[in-house]
């Protein structure tokens, strides 16, 4: 049983929010900067909130400053708390097997769970609290830490020391996500990747992007646990 740090993406991997994030971001940008539909046509999958806001600010001819990001974030989170309560559009709910997998993994003391997500930390808390998963994750690496997703695995490794994650677990970091961006951020940091086709990318697309393992979803709890324990090779 090999120790590991397991880093979970949220949207498309653990859950889908019925596009609550898009609706709340659109409302927040309009309220804060007076620009409607600022994220129309934006590709959200695998991008960080900070990256998306930077692109929207530039498109609107507004300064891409820390102050503007803070203003947006402060407006966005309360609106997300409202929107997450709505039925939404598209799929809203946990991805197949997500809860069962998390509940199985927390039984293994040498597997250390954290988040690696493009969400702001407070937005991640809103989404995971709504679906009753927040309490399983003590910490993570978030959009607040870096707009570039490729910077998040190194940040998670550094932050892990605060939470007493042992060095041998940091030698085996595994990113679980649903987009080529998740796969790339693992690869550039020397981590392993497990990709799930529950977001907007197919099994073939995720294989072509170079994932170490590609799964249709997380519903085969026994197999996924075996991969993460090192019983089955990744």
């Amino acid at each position: 049983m090999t120790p590991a740090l397991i880093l979970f993406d949220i949207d498309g991997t653990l859950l889908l929010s019925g596009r609550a994030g898009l609706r709340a971001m659109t409302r927040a940008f309009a309220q804060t900067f007076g620009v409607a539909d600022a994220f129309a046509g934006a590709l959200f999958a695998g991008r960080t909130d900070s990256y998306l806001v930077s692109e929207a600010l530039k498109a609107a001819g507004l300064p891409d400053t820390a102050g503007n990001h803070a203003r947006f974030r402060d407006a966005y989170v309360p609106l997300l708390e409202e929107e997450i309560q709505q039925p939404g559009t598209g799929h809203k709910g946990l991805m197949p097997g997500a809860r069962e997998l998390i509940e199985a993994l927390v039984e293994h003391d040498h597997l250390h769970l954290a988040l690696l997500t493009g969400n702001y930390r407070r937005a991640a808390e809103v989404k995971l609290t709504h679906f009753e998963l927040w309490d399983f994750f003590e910490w993570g690496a978030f959009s607040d830490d870096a707009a570039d997703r490729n910077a998040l695995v190194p940040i998670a490794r550094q932050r892990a020391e605060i939470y007493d994650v042992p060095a041998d677990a940091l030698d085996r970091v595994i990113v679980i996500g649903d987009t080529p961006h998740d796969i790339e951020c693992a690869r550039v940091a020397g981590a392993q990747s497990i990709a799930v086709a529950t977001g907007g990318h197919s099994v073939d697309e995720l294989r072509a992007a170079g994932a170490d393992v590609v799964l249709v979803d997380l519903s085969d709890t026994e197999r996924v646990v075996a991969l993460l324990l090192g019983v089955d090779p990744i």
Side-chain angles (χ1 to χ4, degrees), residues 9 13 27 36 45 59 69 76 80 94 96 100 104 106 110 117 139 151 154 160 190 200 218:
D9 172 54
T13 301
R27 289 176 61 193
H69 278 266
Y76 165 60
L80 179 61
L94 291 176
E100 294 82 358
V106 296
H110 60 294
T117 174
W139 64 281
L218 297 173

Side-chain angles (χ1 to χ4, degrees), residues 148-167:
D148 181 1
R149 197 180 194 95
N150 287 355
L152 294 183
V153 173
I155 289 169
R157 280 196 174 108
Q158 293 171 357
R159 187 162 290 159
E161 297 178 5
I162 302 172
Y163 293 91
D164 298 322
V165 177

Side-chain angles (χ1 to χ4, degrees), residues 53-221:
V53 173
S54 287
E55 293 299 299
L57 288 169
K58 293 172 189 174
L62 296 168
D64 185 13
T65 62
N68 276 343
H69 278 266
R71 290 173 61 204
F72 173 85
R73 185 172 60 247
D74 289 345
Y76 165 60
V77 174
L79 293 174
L80 179 61
E81 291 173 338
E82 293 179 12
E83 293 291 351
I84 199 73
Q85 303 300 326
Q86 303 305 314
T89 57
H91 183 80
K92 181 183 180 184
L94 291 176
M95 296 293 91
R99 182 181 303 282
E100 294 82 358
L101 176 61
I102 298 299
E103 291 176 345
L105 293 177
V106 296
E107 299 299 320
H108 299 276
D109 292 340
H110 60 294
L111 296 181
H112 304 270
L113 308 187
L115 297 167
L116 188 149
T117 174
N119 284 277
Y120 299 121
R121 185 191 181 282
R122 288 165 60 202
E125 182 175 0
V126 169
K127 291 179 180 180
L128 290 176
T129 297
H130 182 78
F131 292 102
E132 300 181 341
L133 286 183
W134 178 249
D135 288 344
F136 291 104
F137 296 99
E138 186 177 4
W139 64 281
F142 304 93
S143 177
D144 314 67
D145 298 309
D148 181 1
R149 197 180 194 95
N150 287 355
L152 294 183
V153 173
I155 289 169
R157 280 196 174 108
Q158 293 171 357
R159 187 162 290 159
E161 297 178 5
I162 302 172
Y163 293 91
D164 298 322
V165 177
D168 54 357
L170 299 183
D171 290 335
R172 186 169 176 261
V173 178
I174 304 168
V175 175
I176 302 180
D178 67 299
T179 75
H181 294 292
D182 299 297
I183 297 165
E184 181 184 6
C185 82
R187 178 183 55 78
V188 299
Q192 297 173 310
S193 60
I194 296 177
V196 288
T198 45
H201 295 275
S202 68
V203 167
D204 289 342
E205 289 171 333
L206 295 170
R207 283 180 180 147
D212 294 299
V213 174
V214 179
L215 304 172
V216 173
D217 55 36
L218 297 173
S219 61
D220 189 344
T221 304

